[in-house]
Amino acid sequence: MRSMAVVCVMLLAACDPQQVADQAGRRIAATVVLPVVQLDMPTPLAQRATDCILRNATAAEVQALARDVAVVAGTSTKATIRGIALRPETAACFAANGVPQVRP
């Protein structure tokens, strides 16, 4: 039991705090992005689209999106999501995951 605790502590110590914060921010931002994307497509596709959008968002964009948690997304948030969705890298992710492309 004690050795398991030591292993857990070592694994936690190996985590990069910045990476942990980024992953947490992306999970929070997903709760903002998904409802917006669901306005245009069913949930299974919207989830895949959300994953692509967040995978291609910058750290600053993730932070901006995460700030809108627990509120209805406004015009600026929707524009940020759309801008990320229109990027070539995001379009490639959409194509690879069977998500329809966003029209410019």
Side-chain angles (χ1 to χ4, degrees):
M1 184 71 161
R2 183 175 176 186
S3 63
M4 182 178 257
V6 171
V7 169
C8 288
V9 169
M10 289 174 60
L11 286 174
L12 287 174
C15 292
D16 175 14
Q18 185 64 34
Q19 185 179 21
V20 171
D22 182 64
Q23 289 173 351
R26 288 179 191 277
R27 282 192 300 274
I28 292 167
T31 67
V32 174
V33 175
L34 182 61
V36 172
V37 178
Q38 284 176 317
L39 296 173
D40 295 320
M41 61 186 70
T43 300
L45 284 176
Q47 183 61 56
R48 286 184 263 162
T50 297
D51 292 343
C52 289
I53 289 166
L54 292 173
R55 193 174 304 140
N56 290 287
T58 66
E61 289 167 333
V62 169
Q63 289 174 353
L65 292 168
R67 280 193 294 264
D68 278 352
V69 71
V71 298
V72 176
T75 306
S76 176
T77 298
K78 290 178 182 177
T80 299
I81 294 167
R82 181 170 176 72
I84 298 165
L86 288 170
R87 292 181 187 152
E89 301 84 6
T90 309
C93 183
F94 285 174
N97 287 284
V99 176
Q101 298 299 309
V102 176
R103 288 183 230 135

